[in-house]
Amino acid sequence: MVVADRRNLASTRTHRPERHALSALPSVAELLTEPAFLEGVPEVIVGGAALEAPVRWVHTSERDDIAVHLDGRELLLSMGTAWPDTDAELDAFITSLVDAGLSALLLELGTRYLEVPTAVRAAAQRHGLALVVLHRVVRFVTLTEAGHSRIIAGQMAALRARDEVRELFTGLALRGSPADHVVRELARTLGAPVVLESLAHEMLIAEVPAGAEAAALHDWERRSRGAHRGNALEEGWVVVPVDARGKRWGSLVALPGPAHPAGRRNVLLQGAIALALGRLADGGVDTWSTLARRHLLEPLMAGRFQSPEAAAARLEAAGVPVAGRLLYGLVLSGAGRTPADVEAWALALGARARALAITSRTGAPLTMVLLSNPQHRPLDDDHLRTLLRATPDGGRVCATIGSAATDIEGALLSLHEALDNAPDAAAEQQVHWVERRPLARLISSLRDDHRLLDHGERMLTPLIEHDQRTGGDLLQVLGAALAHPGNRTAAAKAAHLSRSVFYQRLDLISRLLEVDLEDGETQTALHIALLSRHRA
């Protein structure tokens, strides 16, 4: 190869490593801590952020045209024997090294220079190029061997880390691990918060270290949505799409965190592949929405949150505003409904209102809803009927509504009020406002008081034993009578009995309990007993 050909090498440089691959390379500062480099008594002339530049190779040369032979990210060792003589030429020489992507220049003093030339120092400072001098003579082959050993060891560690990450998330995909578990493993692997967001950039699932939820999720909401509006992501953020077969379902967002040997982006890509394979295996069923609702609402109802601010941050990030809103707990139920029915209600409500809804997985199928309304628009009967008409079966559903709240703790109380006061079943559409049932609300607040439970058992035991022994309906009849005081016709109709049979049942109840059912205090005591038994 002639000299003219060699000077064209700059036009055929190999592709430089991507940012996510650079974490496997040692920095200039790290190489200077190697024993071989320390033997040269290194002194940093230009350092700071420049010392964090990654080094992919260690090169030795004395030529003043060495820049055309560099490929970027090298550390250059030199004694300066063939460097230019004038300040202008030295400045141009340093500029050429910077343009070639050099990471650092190490000059050994004593052969040509006893100190760094002023022009070299000034040019390195101006361009932000790491400049280090060696005060003691060290064989350059020793330095290159030490540097290359460190570089290769880092690359081998990166390869092993990539294999481990690939094995981990391939195993999760093959086992059909749910999305929340995949996100949890991503956060654990990266040691940083990870968010799975929808196409609308709303948080579906977030895994954030304990104690950092409020700050991290507010940070994610502000910066992530700003980036999706066209602004560049800030340093340390990684976003990868979750898609397959030309269809995108969402994105994974890793917030700033420590470097990973496999590369943070590569780890996130493996997680995205596992999530995409899971979506394909689900056959079109949107399991993410169900998981997302459970990931948010169930911990709230169970009180599993670090602080009200952290819980509010999760809800806000999921598209359910809290600040300056009215929050209502709702429970939807229906006679003869299946879990699939109430799951459909949850999806319909989430699409129609700023609400988060989940389906109960135990007992009678229920949909528990946290509804967020503007403060100028309190929930009323008309608005509620509009929401119920959005349910797939046209609104044939029983709704129980808790008290209005303005913060997380009030919303939690509203949810429990609605759940505690929800009827077991409903054959037709009914609406129960907890605030309009003061006695039921009081009993709900005292549901854990053993004295209340003892009162219920003591008063109703004769009726319970009678119904168990005969398969009777005395408890149901008593409930109908207390629900319609002073209107026996309505009470008999509610109990699905004729008036004569209804009166016979009341007489039997009076004799078994040895009380006067017309007495107001007795009616109140029995009503409390029934309510406490229902809440137990």
Side-chain angles (χ1 to χ4, degrees), residues 257-294:
H260 191 278
R264 299 181 78 236
R265 182 176 180 81
N266 184 63
V267 173
L268 214 58
L269 284 170
Q270 293 298 320
I273 292 171
L275 290 173
L277 291 175
R279 284 300 297 260
L280 292 175
D282 290 336
V285 178
D286 188 8
T287 57
W288 287 5
S289 295
T290 302
L291 282 171
R293 296 194 301 272
R294 295 200 181 285

Short mmCIF file of all heavy atoms in Angstrom, two decimals, residues 257-294:
data_model
loop_
_atom_site.label_atom_id
_atom_site.label_comp_id
_atom_site.label_asym_id
_atom_site.label_seq_id
_atom_site.Cartn_x
_atom_site.Cartn_y
_atom_site.Cartn_z
N GLY A 257 -29.96 5.20 35.98
CA GLY A 257 -29.46 4.24 36.96
C GLY A 257 -28.03 3.86 36.64
O GLY A 257 -27.42 4.40 35.70
N PRO A 258 -27.46 2.91 37.37
CA PRO A 258 -26.06 2.52 37.14
C PRO A 258 -25.88 1.81 35.81
O PRO A 258 -26.83 1.26 35.24
CB PRO A 258 -25.77 1.58 38.32
CG PRO A 258 -27.12 1.02 38.70
CD PRO A 258 -28.09 2.14 38.46
N ALA A 259 -24.66 1.84 35.31
CA ALA A 259 -24.34 1.12 34.07
C ALA A 259 -24.48 -0.38 34.30
O ALA A 259 -24.33 -0.87 35.42
CB ALA A 259 -22.92 1.46 33.62
N HIS A 260 -24.78 -1.10 33.22
CA HIS A 260 -24.87 -2.56 33.29
C HIS A 260 -23.87 -3.16 32.31
O HIS A 260 -23.71 -2.64 31.20
CB HIS A 260 -26.29 -3.02 32.94
CG HIS A 260 -26.54 -4.46 33.25
ND1 HIS A 260 -26.15 -5.48 32.41
CD2 HIS A 260 -27.12 -5.07 34.33
CE1 HIS A 260 -26.49 -6.65 32.93
NE2 HIS A 260 -27.07 -6.42 34.10
N PRO A 261 -23.17 -4.24 32.69
CA PRO A 261 -22.16 -4.80 31.79
C PRO A 261 -22.70 -5.18 30.42
O PRO A 261 -21.98 -5.10 29.42
CB PRO A 261 -21.68 -6.06 32.56
CG PRO A 261 -21.99 -5.77 33.98
CD PRO A 261 -23.22 -4.93 33.99
N ALA A 262 -23.97 -5.59 30.36
CA ALA A 262 -24.56 -5.97 29.08
C ALA A 262 -25.07 -4.77 28.30
O ALA A 262 -25.48 -4.92 27.15
CB ALA A 262 -25.71 -6.94 29.32
N GLY A 263 -25.06 -3.59 28.91
CA GLY A 263 -25.62 -2.41 28.27
C GLY A 263 -27.08 -2.25 28.69
O GLY A 263 -27.88 -3.19 28.54
N ARG A 264 -27.45 -1.08 29.21
CA ARG A 264 -28.80 -0.87 29.72
C ARG A 264 -29.84 -1.06 28.61
O ARG A 264 -30.91 -1.62 28.83
CB ARG A 264 -28.92 0.51 30.35
CG ARG A 264 -27.99 0.73 31.52
CD ARG A 264 -28.13 2.10 32.15
NE ARG A 264 -29.31 2.14 33.00
CZ ARG A 264 -30.29 3.01 32.88
NH1 ARG A 264 -30.25 3.92 31.91
NH2 ARG A 264 -31.32 2.99 33.70
N ARG A 265 -29.55 -0.55 27.43
CA ARG A 265 -30.50 -0.69 26.33
C ARG A 265 -30.68 -2.15 25.93
O ARG A 265 -31.79 -2.60 25.65
CB ARG A 265 -30.04 0.13 25.13
CG ARG A 265 -31.02 0.08 23.95
CD ARG A 265 -30.58 0.98 22.81
NE ARG A 265 -31.53 0.90 21.72
CZ ARG A 265 -32.68 1.55 21.66
NH1 ARG A 265 -33.02 2.36 22.66
NH2 ARG A 265 -33.49 1.42 20.64
N ASN A 266 -29.59 -2.91 25.94
CA ASN A 266 -29.68 -4.32 25.58
C ASN A 266 -30.55 -5.08 26.58
O ASN A 266 -31.34 -5.94 26.20
CB ASN A 266 -28.29 -4.95 25.52
CG ASN A 266 -28.32 -6.39 25.06
OD1 ASN A 266 -28.73 -6.69 23.94
ND2 ASN A 266 -27.89 -7.29 25.93
N VAL A 267 -30.42 -4.76 27.88
CA VAL A 267 -31.25 -5.40 28.90
C VAL A 267 -32.73 -5.08 28.65
O VAL A 267 -33.60 -5.95 28.68
CB VAL A 267 -30.84 -4.93 30.30
CG1 VAL A 267 -31.82 -5.48 31.35
CG2 VAL A 267 -29.43 -5.40 30.63
N LEU A 268 -33.00 -3.82 28.36
CA LEU A 268 -34.38 -3.40 28.13
C LEU A 268 -34.95 -4.06 26.87
O LEU A 268 -36.13 -4.43 26.82
CB LEU A 268 -34.44 -1.88 28.01
CG LEU A 268 -35.70 -1.19 28.56
CD1 LEU A 268 -35.88 -1.51 30.03
CD2 LEU A 268 -35.63 0.31 28.36
N LEU A 269 -34.12 -4.24 25.84
CA LEU A 269 -34.57 -4.90 24.62
C LEU A 269 -34.96 -6.36 24.89
O LEU A 269 -35.94 -6.86 24.33
CB LEU A 269 -33.47 -4.85 23.56
CG LEU A 269 -33.28 -3.50 22.85
CD1 LEU A 269 -32.01 -3.52 22.01
CD2 LEU A 269 -34.49 -3.21 21.95
N GLN A 270 -34.18 -7.04 25.74
CA GLN A 270 -34.53 -8.42 26.07
C GLN A 270 -35.87 -8.48 26.81
O GLN A 270 -36.68 -9.38 26.59
CB GLN A 270 -33.42 -9.05 26.92
CG GLN A 270 -32.11 -9.25 26.18
CD GLN A 270 -32.25 -10.18 24.99
OE1 GLN A 270 -32.95 -11.18 25.05
NE2 GLN A 270 -31.60 -9.84 23.89
N GLY A 271 -36.09 -7.52 27.71
CA GLY A 271 -37.39 -7.47 28.38
C GLY A 271 -38.51 -7.19 27.42
O GLY A 271 -39.61 -7.76 27.53
N ALA A 272 -38.28 -6.31 26.44
CA ALA A 272 -39.31 -6.00 25.44
C ALA A 272 -39.65 -7.23 24.60
O ALA A 272 -40.83 -7.45 24.26
CB ALA A 272 -38.83 -4.86 24.55
N ILE A 273 -38.65 -8.03 24.29
CA ILE A 273 -38.91 -9.26 23.53
C ILE A 273 -39.78 -10.22 24.34
O ILE A 273 -40.73 -10.81 23.83
CB ILE A 273 -37.57 -9.93 23.14
CG1 ILE A 273 -36.83 -9.06 22.11
CG2 ILE A 273 -37.81 -11.33 22.58
CD1 ILE A 273 -35.42 -9.54 21.82
N ALA A 274 -39.46 -10.37 25.64
CA ALA A 274 -40.26 -11.25 26.49
C ALA A 274 -41.70 -10.76 26.58
O ALA A 274 -42.65 -11.56 26.52
CB ALA A 274 -39.64 -11.33 27.89
N LEU A 275 -41.91 -9.45 26.70
CA LEU A 275 -43.27 -8.90 26.76
C LEU A 275 -44.00 -9.10 25.45
O LEU A 275 -45.19 -9.44 25.43
CB LEU A 275 -43.20 -7.41 27.11
CG LEU A 275 -42.77 -7.07 28.53
CD1 LEU A 275 -42.58 -5.56 28.67
CD2 LEU A 275 -43.78 -7.58 29.56
N ALA A 276 -43.30 -8.90 24.33
CA ALA A 276 -43.94 -9.07 23.02
C ALA A 276 -44.36 -10.51 22.80
O ALA A 276 -45.45 -10.79 22.29
CB ALA A 276 -42.99 -8.61 21.91
N LEU A 277 -43.49 -11.46 23.17
CA LEU A 277 -43.85 -12.87 23.02
C LEU A 277 -45.05 -13.22 23.90
O LEU A 277 -45.92 -14.02 23.50
CB LEU A 277 -42.65 -13.75 23.39
CG LEU A 277 -41.47 -13.70 22.42
CD1 LEU A 277 -40.30 -14.52 22.96
CD2 LEU A 277 -41.89 -14.22 21.05
N GLY A 278 -45.12 -12.61 25.08
CA GLY A 278 -46.27 -12.84 25.95
C GLY A 278 -47.55 -12.33 25.33
O GLY A 278 -48.60 -12.98 25.41
N ARG A 279 -47.51 -11.15 24.70
CA ARG A 279 -48.70 -10.61 24.05
C ARG A 279 -49.14 -11.49 22.88
O ARG A 279 -50.34 -11.73 22.68
CB ARG A 279 -48.44 -9.19 23.55
CG ARG A 279 -48.44 -8.14 24.64
CD ARG A 279 -49.78 -8.07 25.35
NE ARG A 279 -50.87 -7.69 24.51
CZ ARG A 279 -51.40 -6.48 24.43
NH1 ARG A 279 -50.89 -5.50 25.16
NH2 ARG A 279 -52.42 -6.22 23.65
N LEU A 280 -48.18 -11.99 22.12
CA LEU A 280 -48.54 -12.88 21.00
C LEU A 280 -49.17 -14.17 21.52
O LEU A 280 -50.12 -14.69 20.93
CB LEU A 280 -47.29 -13.19 20.18
CG LEU A 280 -46.69 -12.02 19.39
CD1 LEU A 280 -45.39 -12.46 18.73
CD2 LEU A 280 -47.67 -11.52 18.33
N ALA A 281 -48.64 -14.69 22.63
CA ALA A 281 -49.19 -15.92 23.19
C ALA A 281 -50.58 -15.72 23.76
O ALA A 281 -51.38 -16.65 23.82
CB ALA A 281 -48.26 -16.46 24.28
N ASP A 282 -50.91 -14.49 24.19
CA ASP A 282 -52.23 -14.22 24.74
C ASP A 282 -53.32 -14.21 23.69
O ASP A 282 -54.51 -14.16 24.03
CB ASP A 282 -52.24 -12.87 25.47
CG ASP A 282 -51.42 -12.91 26.75
OD1 ASP A 282 -51.26 -14.01 27.29
OD2 ASP A 282 -50.95 -11.85 27.20
N GLY A 283 -52.93 -14.22 22.43
CA GLY A 283 -53.92 -14.30 21.37
C GLY A 283 -54.82 -13.08 21.25
O GLY A 283 -56.00 -13.19 20.93
N GLY A 284 -54.29 -11.91 21.53
CA GLY A 284 -55.08 -10.69 21.37
C GLY A 284 -55.78 -10.22 22.63
O GLY A 284 -56.36 -9.14 22.64
N VAL A 285 -55.76 -11.02 23.68
CA VAL A 285 -56.40 -10.60 24.94
C VAL A 285 -55.49 -9.58 25.63
O VAL A 285 -54.29 -9.79 25.79
CB VAL A 285 -56.61 -11.82 25.87
CG1 VAL A 285 -57.23 -11.36 27.18
CG2 VAL A 285 -57.50 -12.84 25.17
N ASP A 286 -56.08 -8.45 26.02
CA ASP A 286 -55.30 -7.39 26.63
C ASP A 286 -55.11 -7.65 28.12
O ASP A 286 -55.77 -7.07 28.97
CB ASP A 286 -55.99 -6.05 26.41
CG ASP A 286 -55.12 -4.87 26.85
OD1 ASP A 286 -53.94 -5.12 27.18
OD2 ASP A 286 -55.61 -3.73 26.86
N THR A 287 -54.17 -8.54 28.43
CA THR A 287 -53.90 -8.85 29.83
C THR A 287 -53.16 -7.72 30.53
O THR A 287 -53.20 -7.62 31.75
CB THR A 287 -53.07 -10.15 29.94
OG1 THR A 287 -51.86 -9.99 29.19
CG2 THR A 287 -53.85 -11.33 29.38
N TRP A 288 -52.49 -6.88 29.75
CA TRP A 288 -51.76 -5.78 30.36
C TRP A 288 -52.70 -4.85 31.11
O TRP A 288 -52.37 -4.37 32.20
CB TRP A 288 -51.00 -4.98 29.31
CG TRP A 288 -49.80 -5.68 28.76
CD1 TRP A 288 -49.39 -6.95 29.03
CD2 TRP A 288 -48.85 -5.13 27.85
NE1 TRP A 288 -48.25 -7.24 28.34
CE2 TRP A 288 -47.89 -6.14 27.61
CE3 TRP A 288 -48.72 -3.92 27.22
CZ2 TRP A 288 -46.82 -5.94 26.74
CZ3 TRP A 288 -47.65 -3.72 26.36
CH2 TRP A 288 -46.71 -4.72 26.13
N SER A 289 -53.85 -4.56 30.54
CA SER A 289 -54.79 -3.64 31.19
C SER A 289 -55.25 -4.19 32.52
O SER A 289 -55.32 -3.47 33.53
CB SER A 289 -55.99 -3.38 30.28
OG SER A 289 -55.59 -2.71 29.10
N THR A 290 -55.56 -5.50 32.55
CA THR A 290 -55.99 -6.12 33.80
C THR A 290 -54.88 -6.08 34.84
O THR A 290 -55.09 -5.73 36.00
CB THR A 290 -56.41 -7.58 33.54
OG1 THR A 290 -57.47 -7.58 32.58
CG2 THR A 290 -56.91 -8.23 34.82
N LEU A 291 -53.65 -6.44 34.42
CA LEU A 291 -52.52 -6.42 35.35
C LEU A 291 -52.25 -5.00 35.85
O LEU A 291 -51.95 -4.80 37.02
CB LEU A 291 -51.27 -6.96 34.65
CG LEU A 291 -51.17 -8.48 34.51
CD1 LEU A 291 -50.00 -8.85 33.62
CD2 LEU A 291 -51.02 -9.15 35.88
N ALA A 292 -52.37 -4.03 34.94
CA ALA A 292 -52.10 -2.66 35.32
C ALA A 292 -53.07 -2.19 36.38
O ALA A 292 -52.69 -1.53 37.36
CB ALA A 292 -52.18 -1.75 34.09
N ARG A 293 -54.35 -2.53 36.22
CA ARG A 293 -55.34 -2.10 37.21
C ARG A 293 -55.08 -2.75 38.56
O ARG A 293 -55.17 -2.11 39.60
CB ARG A 293 -56.75 -2.44 36.70
CG ARG A 293 -57.14 -1.69 35.44
CD ARG A 293 -58.62 -1.79 35.18
NE ARG A 293 -59.10 -3.14 35.02
CZ ARG A 293 -59.13 -3.82 33.89
NH1 ARG A 293 -58.69 -3.25 32.78
NH2 ARG A 293 -59.59 -5.04 33.83
N ARG A 294 -54.75 -4.03 38.54
CA ARG A 294 -54.45 -4.72 39.80
C ARG A 294 -53.17 -4.17 40.43
O ARG A 294 -53.07 -4.06 41.66
CB ARG A 294 -54.30 -6.22 39.57
CG ARG A 294 -55.57 -6.89 39.09
CD ARG A 294 -55.52 -8.39 39.35
NE ARG A 294 -56.74 -9.02 38.86
CZ ARG A 294 -57.90 -8.95 39.48
NH1 ARG A 294 -58.00 -8.27 40.59
NH2 ARG A 294 -58.96 -9.54 38.98
#
